Amino acid sequence: MGEFKLKKGYDIPILGEAELVLKEFSNPDKVAILPYEFRGIKPRLKVQVGDMVKVGTPLCEDKEIQEIKFVSPVSGKVIEINRGERRLLMEIVVENDKKYTKENFKFKPSGNISKLTRENITNALLESGLWPYIIQRPFAKVANPQDVPRDIFISAFNTAPIAPEVDFLLEGKGKQFQKGIDILGALTEGTVHLSLQRKGNNSGNVLEEVTGVEKHYFSGPHPAGNVGVQIHHIAPVNQGDIVWTIKPEAVALIGELFETGAYPNERIVALCGSSLKERYYIKTIAGAKIKEIIPDENINDDEARYISGDVLTGIKLNENGYLGFNNCLLTVIPEGKKKRRLLGYFRTGIDMSSFSKTFLSSWISSKKKKWKLDTLAYGGQRAFIQTGVYEKVMPMDILPSILAKSILAEDIEEMEGLGIMELAEEDVALCTYVCPSKMDFGSILRQGFDLIEKEG
Amino acid sequence: MKILEKFFDKIHPNFEKGQKYEKYFPIFEMMDTILLWNNKRNQRGTHIRDPLDIKRFMMIVIVALLPATLFGIYNIGFLHFEAVGVSATLWDMFLFGLIKFMPIVIVSYAVGGFWEVLFAVIRKHEINEGFLVTGILFPLILPASIPLWQVAVAVSFGVVLGKEVFGGTGMNILNPALTARAFVFFAYPGKISGDKVWTIIDSAKDKVVDGFSGATPLLVASGTPAGESAVKHVNDAGFSFLQMFYGFIPGSVGETSTLAILIGAVILIATGVGSWKIMTAVFVGGYGTALLFNAIAGPGSSGIFTLPAFCHLVMGGFAFGAVFMATDPVSAAQTETGKWIYGLIIGFLTILIRTVNPAYPEGMMLAILFMNVFSPLIDHYVIKANIKRRLSRAA
């Protein structure tokens, strides 16, 4: 058990948190899976348009590790297969017959987890399509079932901007969560680490009661809730280590799978963002169509951006598209206005919020004020200048700007030495947010990973 | 605004890839974004972005330079009228300074800007706003009497050899403004050192008052004979501490008023644009070193050894260098630990050069340039230490 107080970082004061209200939308007409959400997966189709599928029927699999499958959350007919640029598989759409006929999995639910072998568990997770929720570090991609991780890490709270409350997502699911933890414990020879937020009083929390984990307490601004930051402080990833991470909601799904033996197709998704008039949590089927869940009347802005995940790391969705699987969060924020302002950099900045203190608002507005933030870049890309701002949002013993430079110089030895293996896009997303040169540190990081994987 | 927007929208296509004026896109981009704020949406990376960009970042530096610039302009006139013994109003002094100073600024921006644009067009990258700062920093560290052609030659040297040959903004090792000044310093020493250059006197028609010297306090201090008190020597020459602090003394245009520079420092630190670590480290390094020399000053040592530490900080280019030059984000140390070391050594070297080197009364410029060169080495050791910590964790 550890107690960690992080100082560096930033809570972006963005408007649009969801109210802690749960609504239900049970029967979407169409659902889709979006395999590109999961990093490191090269999907190969297992179905064609017109095929009939059940809940749990594989729709596609990974080309490299074929055991990793993505399954249908409903029963019905495959009606569309949409590809994007370079024939990248974007969506496999299934028309819901609303009968929810279940695929017969080979594995059977078991009351006694201690009898299950590692192999039993791995196979069950692969067959049921829950495996892709397990993400490995380094490289922050879907885990390889052949690996035995040193430890497994779970962050039980979000600090990302307008991210959902984990406690609310897991309300009433304490039993499933505990079961999920027990199952994960059998997958590692090390420890399952659970990081909780140090608030005034944690009692009464589902996660406080969990056993079979080592608990750690974190406090501080974003990215304190990022599992990568927590790993760095608890037991960092060293050369040659592989650790796994999984989101708490997915832990509960694993527990549910082993309880019922069927694919758990229900998800609770937080509908957030300032473009939504009403913001709440919704219980629905995984991959439901966005238009069905959010009626047009609920949208504030003419042009809005739909994001699966949070505003820093989420994936841009098509407004006529479908909810992601990977995130229990759909953020809708206004697209930037096309109208241009005269001499923007000369403005007092009273109407804008900034991490820096170069805008008047930083001096006179209340710290608690939330801002309606849009998708403008606010400036053109420039050569990188070391303003020291990256260092202020990186609560790890890592030199972010030096690391970025070593990646751009393609110096593998140095980037490994500087800790690239400990990071994922989400951990450097704040650097991208605050960067005055408007660089994208996330894609620089991925460039480094690709180089390392290519060179072996 | 609407008209501008329409105009730029209309001519924009001509500068796109494959179009007639593709080559001049950087110039278009510069004009376009100087006038109107960029309205690009985030496509990659985070969906939202902080509104601070490099333009605003550099604007803050310019705002921070304003007090020193305005005072410097006034001081040009003040020194002139004092030297020729003519009484003048504040406005006369300011106007006189403005007439003398503006041509230097214009030449600096025009010639430097020309090179900046030329390289941007050849290299096909956007024009970097860093030049907005270099273009004003350079005139501020020159004597007001500098010939304009020397400004042009020096700024060309500073921008091309100090920055562009390394690959442009962000890649340069040396501070371009200081590189340009170093060029003048070594190529035309008669125009930037001694006691004749700091006050504008037209020898054809002006008649100086009796007892006029024109020497900077630092020059006076460095000329203190062995065994005498430097501070007394400086006071006898007519410079009190407060006078030096407020800046009514000969010197480069922007460097004389420590007070105006400190206002700039407050702006830089409060907005987070300038590194408080570097500024503090330079002052601490300089102060400590001066104390050290005070302690070892003996009857045989040169008089400047006795100059009190707090006097060092308000004389010459110390404050200006610490606040505006050493903190240049590109040529300074890149690591947070490195910044402390970098600043401390600049302070140390400056006082060392001032005290023990008889050839140069001022050491700030050389100390900063020297540490610009060594900052990658400092960073190297900070980086190696980080890598070592990571490796030792695994063992």
Side-chain angles (χ1 to χ4, degrees), chain A residues 12 232 236-238 303 305 307 311-312 314 316 333 335-336 338-348 352-359 363 373-387 397-399 402 405 417-419 422 429 432-434 436-440 443, chain B residues 1-2 4-5 8-9 29-30 32-60 126-130 169-171 270-273 329-330 333-336 339 379 382-384 386-391 393-395:
Chain A
I12 301 173
H232 176 85
V237 180
N238 293 316
E303 262 190 297
R305 181 176 296 199
I307 302 159
V311 285
L312 292 180
K316 188 177 166 182
I333 56 169
E335 284 282 7
K338 280 287 168 195
K339 191 170 173 304
R340 302 179 62 179
R341 308 186 207 196
L342 192 69
L343 301 177
Y345 49 92
F346 262 130
R347 298 193 163 235
T348 56
M352 263 172 278
S353 128
S354 172
F355 172 69
S356 75
K357 296 271 184 283
T358 60
F359 288 73
W363 296 91
L373 302 183
D374 61 25
T375 64
L376 278 184
Y378 296 100
Q381 211 179 63
R382 290 294 182 266
F384 180 76
I385 292 178
Q386 169 61 315
T387 58
D397 183 19
I398 280 180
L399 305 167
I402 307 288
K405 282 187 179 177
L418 288 171
E422 299 186 44
T432 304
Y433 173 77
V434 297
S437 299
K438 310 292 169 186
M439 306 282 267
D440 176 12
S443 53
Chain B
M1 259 137 287
K2 262 267 144 30
L4 271 178
E5 251 188 279
F8 280 115
D9 279 349
E29 208 263 0
M30 176 181 77
D32 179 54
T33 57
I34 278 183
L35 291 169
L36 295 167
W37 211 356
N38 188 313
N39 65 349
K40 280 201 191 94
R41 291 170 178 175
N42 298 310
Q43 295 305 339
R44 287 170 357 136
T46 55
H47 296 276
I48 55 173
R49 290 262 193 183
D50 194 279
L52 176 66
D53 65 351
I54 294 290
K55 271 199 183 64
R56 192 176 180 94
F57 187 86
M58 294 300 176
M59 275 328 279
I60 300 280
E126 287 88 0
I127 292 160
N128 208 294
E129 288 80 3
T169 305
M171 311 285 188
T271 54
V273 165
V330 177
Q334 307 284 297
T335 52
E336 296 302 304
K339 284 176 184 167
D379 287 334
V382 177
I383 293 167
K384 281 285 164 294
N386 182 284
I387 292 176
K388 230 172 136 188
R389 269 202 301 283
R390 189 159 285 105
L391 284 176
R393 212 167 61 186

Side-chain angles (χ1 to χ4, degrees), chain A residues 262-377:
Chain A
Y263 178 73
N265 62 353
E266 272 186 353
R267 300 282 187 281
I268 295 175
V269 177
L271 304 178
C272 306
S274 62
S275 284
L276 296 180
K277 279 178 200 153
E278 267 187 80
R279 302 183 278 264
Y280 47 87
Y281 289 72
I282 192 163
K283 190 187 213 177
T284 183
I285 302 293
K289 191 170 168 70
I290 293 171
K291 286 259 169 193
E292 291 188 53
I293 301 178
I294 304 176
D296 285 344
E297 309 88 78
N298 197 15
I299 305 286
N300 271 327
D301 300 282
D302 298 339
E303 262 190 297
R305 181 176 296 199
Y306 293 74
I307 302 159
S308 166
D310 65 74
V311 285
L312 292 180
T313 60
I315 294 171
K316 188 177 166 182
L317 298 174
N318 181 341
E319 69 176 301
N320 293 311
Y322 303 84
L323 287 179
F325 263 54
N326 199 4
N327 282 299
C328 44
L329 169 63
L330 178 73
T331 312
V332 191
I333 56 169
E335 284 282 7
K337 298 252 186 321
K338 280 287 168 195
K339 191 170 173 304
R340 302 179 62 179
R341 308 186 207 196
L342 192 69
L343 301 177
Y345 49 92
F346 262 130
R347 298 193 163 235
T348 56
I350 198 156
D351 54 349
M352 263 172 278
S353 128
S354 172
F355 172 69
S356 75
K357 296 271 184 283
T358 60
F359 288 73
L360 205 53
S361 65
S362 323
W363 296 91
I364 53 173
S365 295
S366 149
K367 291 267 173 291
K368 283 183 187 151
K369 177 168 178 172
K370 303 273 186 197
W371 301 78
K372 184 164 176 150
L373 302 183
D374 61 25
T375 64
L376 278 184

Side-chain angles (χ1 to χ4, degrees), chain A residues 427-446:
Chain A
D427 304 323
V428 298
L430 266 180
C431 296
T432 304
Y433 173 77
V434 297
C435 184
S437 299
K438 310 292 169 186
M439 306 282 267
D440 176 12
F441 199 168
S443 53
I444 293 174
L445 194 70
R446 189 48 65 181

Side-chain angles (χ1 to χ4, degrees), chain B residues 231-370:
Chain B
V231 72
K232 185 169 173 296
H233 206 64
V234 171
N235 287 344
D236 288 348
F239 304 117
S240 70
F241 173 80
L242 273 183
Q243 221 175 342
M244 295 192 284
F245 178 74
Y246 292 136
F248 301 101
I249 51 171
S252 295
V253 177
E255 71 174 20
T256 60
S257 172
T258 307
L259 177 68
I261 293 163
L262 285 182
I263 297 172
V266 168
I267 296 175
L268 288 183
I269 292 172
T271 54
V273 165
S275 166
W276 65 270
K277 288 180 190 167
I278 294 179
M279 291 183 211
T280 314
V282 177
F283 279 111
V284 168
Y287 196 86
T289 311
L291 283 183
L292 193 74
F293 279 116
N294 291 164
I296 60 173
S301 59
S302 132
I304 188 150
F305 275 61
T306 62
L307 190 67
F310 61 88
C311 284
H312 266 295
L313 307 191
V314 299
M315 289 163 87
F318 196 96
F320 193 85
V323 173
F324 294 109
M325 290 295 178
T327 52
D328 169 17
V330 177
S331 55
Q334 307 284 297
T335 52
E336 296 302 304
T337 320
K339 284 176 184 167
W340 285 113
I341 302 167
Y342 164 87
L344 282 172
I345 303 182
I346 287 179
F348 165 73
L349 283 177
T350 305
I351 304 302
L352 187 73
I353 296 172
R354 281 182 177 186
T355 317
V356 303
N357 185 330
Y360 307 133
E362 174 58 301
M364 199 64 193
M365 173 184 78
L366 293 174
I368 296 175
L369 284 174
F370 192 73

Side-chain angles (χ1 to χ4, degrees), chain B residues 192-263:
Chain B
I192 199 167
S193 48
D195 52 10
K196 298 282 177 283
V197 301
W198 311 108
T199 310
I200 293 185
I201 293 156
D202 185 344
S203 47
K205 56 179 190 195
D206 293 336
K207 221 171 126 282
V208 298
V209 296
D210 290 343
F212 170 75
S213 124
T216 63
L218 201 55
L219 192 64
V220 174
S222 80
T224 313
E228 280 185 33
S229 150
V231 72
K232 185 169 173 296
H233 206 64
V234 171
N235 287 344
D236 288 348
F239 304 117
S240 70
F241 173 80
L242 273 183
Q243 221 175 342
M244 295 192 284
F245 178 74
Y246 292 136
F248 301 101
I249 51 171
S252 295
V253 177
E255 71 174 20
T256 60
S257 172
T258 307
L259 177 68
I261 293 163
L262 285 182
I263 297 172

